Amino acid sequence: MTTVDLHARLADLDARIFDAARSVGRDPLELTRIVVTKFHPAELITRLHELGVRDVGESRQQELTAKRDELPNLDGVQWHFVGQIQTKKARAIRAASDCVHSVDRDRLADALHAADPDAPPLDVFLQVNLTDDPGRGGAVPADVSALAEHVAFSCASLRVRGVMAVAPLGVEPADAFARLAEAGASVRRVVPDATWMSAGMSGDFAEAIAAGATHLRIGSAITGPRPVRD
Ligand SMILES: *Cc1c(COP(=O)(O)O)cnc(C)c1O
């Protein structure tokens, strides 16, 4: 895609976000639009940066680490990690991320904390599994407040900011995000200022905004289709 096309897609998406927010009485300025660049080359991030993008999302540790090594001089970029995390990758994730959206178990939180216990707090979201498949990423909703307690009281170098989810296929996104909002409320009974909600992708950001999302994770609507990977 040419930079002109990329600019047009970004502007179009931002206009749609603006309209979605306004139509439910929300201030578009309270939304953070993260551009998910997974599978695309680092060069795309350079071009997005030139267009003013400062929040970038990745979902694989090796790819994130490689892109950061390739792009040491991008000013002001916040690197969001949005993918599933194997505990053994926690150290590398912590080293390369400004915000982690996918904390879903005590052991992972412990490993992220142990990776840099005296560092300034790392912003984290607690990921909620809204599917019926326990093998998918995320804590089941009933376990989220216990996870919040664990992170808040045992992992001093992590700051619980809110909840995150991917809407399951075959479910109305509005219903899924309403459940996520409930999980967020349960987290706030433990951490009152955990007001963030990471929800909404290319196909469902309007529903997420209506349900209270603060952080949108948008990939293909901006970048076009992802290159195929195995
Ligand atoms: C890839 C990905 C996105 C972006 O998805 P699009 O449908 O391309 O917007 C958002 N969140 C997570 C967790 C992802 O892995």
Side-chain angles (χ1 to χ4, degrees):
M1 198 186 317
T2 69
T3 297
V4 171
D5 290 340
L6 191 61
H7 188 200
R9 291 178 79 121
L10 197 56
D12 177 63
L13 197 274
D14 284 347
R16 289 164 62 202
I17 291 172
F18 189 96
D19 289 346
R22 279 298 163 81
S23 75
V24 293
R26 294 192 60 198
D27 179 356
L29 295 178
E30 64 188 38
L31 304 174
T32 300
R33 179 258 292 127
I34 298 160
V35 183
V36 178
T37 48
K38 65 184 182 210
F39 304 177
H40 289 282
E43 173 270 332
L44 179 72
I45 300 177
T46 305
R47 292 200 288 146
L48 288 164
H49 185 261
E50 284 165 4
L51 295 171
V53 170
R54 292 296 179 269
D55 289 276
V56 168
E58 288 288 336
S59 65
R60 292 181 177 195
Q61 177 268 318
Q62 275 156 306
E63 190 177 342
L64 170 68
T65 301
K67 286 178 181 173
R68 292 214 60 172
D69 288 348
E70 213 176 313
L71 304 169
N73 298 319
L74 284 188
D75 282 345
V77 172
Q78 294 289 304
W79 295 85
H80 297 260
F81 193 80
V82 304
Q84 291 321 117
I85 306 176
Q86 293 171 270
T87 306
K88 66 181 182 191
K89 300 277 179 72
R91 182 170 297 274
I93 298 279
R94 174 130 204 191
S97 306
D98 299 299
C99 181
V100 173
H101 291 235
S102 43
V103 172
D104 61 0
R105 57 198 189 276
D106 291 1
R107 247 164 54 81
L108 172 59
D110 291 340
L112 286 168
H113 170 55
D116 208 349
D118 301 319
L122 174 71
D123 288 330
V124 300
F125 291 86
L126 305 182
Q127 186 178 353
V128 183
N129 180 357
L130 298 174
T131 75
D132 300 325
D133 175 359
R136 301 296 290 269
V140 298
D143 292 346
V144 173
S145 76
L147 176 60
E149 281 181 24
H150 180 80
V151 179
F153 301 124
S154 305
C155 303
S157 72
L158 306 184
R159 180 168 179 198
V160 178
R161 289 299 209 153
V163 290
M164 174 276 210
V166 176
L169 291 174
V171 171
E172 278 297 320
D175 296 341
F177 295 139
R179 293 174 62 210
L180 180 62
E182 276 173 36
S186 77
V187 168
R188 281 192 298 282
R189 286 193 277 276
V190 181
V191 184
D193 66 351
T195 53
W196 294 0
M197 178 170 152
S198 170
M201 313 194 343
S202 294
D204 58 17
F205 64 84
E207 291 89 342
I209 291 169
T214 59
H215 291 64
L216 314 173
R217 307 179 311 270
I218 313 287
S220 49
I222 295 168
T223 64
R226 281 181 277 278
V228 178
R229 288 274 173 99
D230 45 36

